[in-house]
Amino acid sequence: MFDDVAPKYDVVNDVLSMGQTRRWRRIVVDAMDMKRGQRVLDLAAGTGTSSEPYADAGIDVIACDFSLGMLKVGKRRRPDINFVAGDATNLPFADNSFDASTISFGLRNVNEPKKALAEMLRVTKPGGKLVIAEFSQPVVPLWRTMYTEYLMRALPAIAVKVASNPDAYVYLAESIRAWPDQDHLAAWLQESGWEKVTYRNLTGGIVAVHRATKPLEHTPEGAAEAIAAHKGPVAKLRRNIQR
């Protein structure tokens, strides 16, 4: 499916998000706050649009995705970026390989998202950061209703006119509607062993940017204990909401 939409993927995203995709991606890059010479894993990187700002800043970025079609389009456009085919639930990288990891609008497409969170933890260095941008749940009821109507009615109709595979965007709408809200994703991060978990709502909660840090003394056994011990309601988190 993702191979089919690769040629027009970035253009269609700009149309469907009414230009907001670029702004959301800039916020992710700012949240990462990486320095020249550091190494970043950009997971579900697709055609590499999300990886470009790091490469342009002299940061060693690895653009990883499971779709060979996406990677081929990206490599033709940006041959200077290192594109790697990989499964988010079984990453082809050694432990503690990256100063930071990020994934934008791809976690909900992973069959086992909690496993992907654990894998990103594994390959990130102790003290390293994680930044996730993902579609989420609007925080104002009226706005949530309007957004849901757009997802299920307008988005597929627009996709028919501009996309090479409109059915892929029907899946997109359904996957966004079924995705857990901000607090539940934050809980998943905590369960996976990440700490200092916070999130920021963008565009009224259509998108949420979650941030977390890998503990300095992380061990796989410790992460397993954290998952086993996690019970009760979602932890209360510090939020920085932008409407």
Side-chain angles (χ1 to χ4, degrees), residues 12-135:
V12 175
N13 281 348
D14 282 341
V15 172
L16 295 180
S17 71
M18 301 178 187
Q20 288 296 298
T21 301
R22 296 177 185 272
R23 171 177 170 265
W24 296 333
R25 292 192 186 281
R26 284 197 302 271
I27 290 171
V28 170
V29 173
D30 290 344
M32 289 285 281
D33 190 28
M34 304 306 295
K35 303 295 188 292
R36 180 181 291 270
Q38 289 185 310
R39 194 169 191 234
V40 174
L41 170 63
D42 185 14
L43 191 56
T47 61
T49 302
S50 56
S51 305
E52 288 183 284
Y54 305 108
D56 293 342
I59 294 162
D60 181 13
V61 60
I62 304 297
C64 183
D65 200 282
F66 74 94
S67 169
L68 295 179
M70 289 280 195
L71 295 174
K72 288 177 181 177
V73 171
K75 193 64 177 178
R76 284 197 299 268
R77 191 167 52 85
R78 287 296 301 259
D80 58 313
I81 293 177
N82 189 1
F83 288 86
V84 175
D87 178 356
T89 63
N90 187 22
L91 293 172
F93 309 109
D95 296 358
N96 307 321
S97 297
F98 298 94
D99 296 290
S101 296
T102 183
I103 181 169
S104 293
F105 309 108
L107 187 61
R108 75 183 186 287
N109 296 321
V110 178
N111 287 333
E112 298 179 87
K114 292 183 183 180
K115 200 168 181 180
L117 295 176
E119 272 291 273
M120 285 188 282
L121 184 75
R122 178 183 66 78
V123 302
T124 303
K125 296 176 182 178
K129 68 182 72 171
L130 171 70
V131 177
I132 299 172
E134 190 52 89
F135 291 107

Side-chain angles (χ1 to χ4, degrees), residues 118 121 187-195 213-215 218 222-224 226-227:
L121 184 75
W188 286 3
L189 284 162
Q190 293 172 323
E191 291 169 7
S192 299
W194 293 93
E195 64 178 15
T213 303
K214 180 172 178 175
H218 170 77
I227 292 173

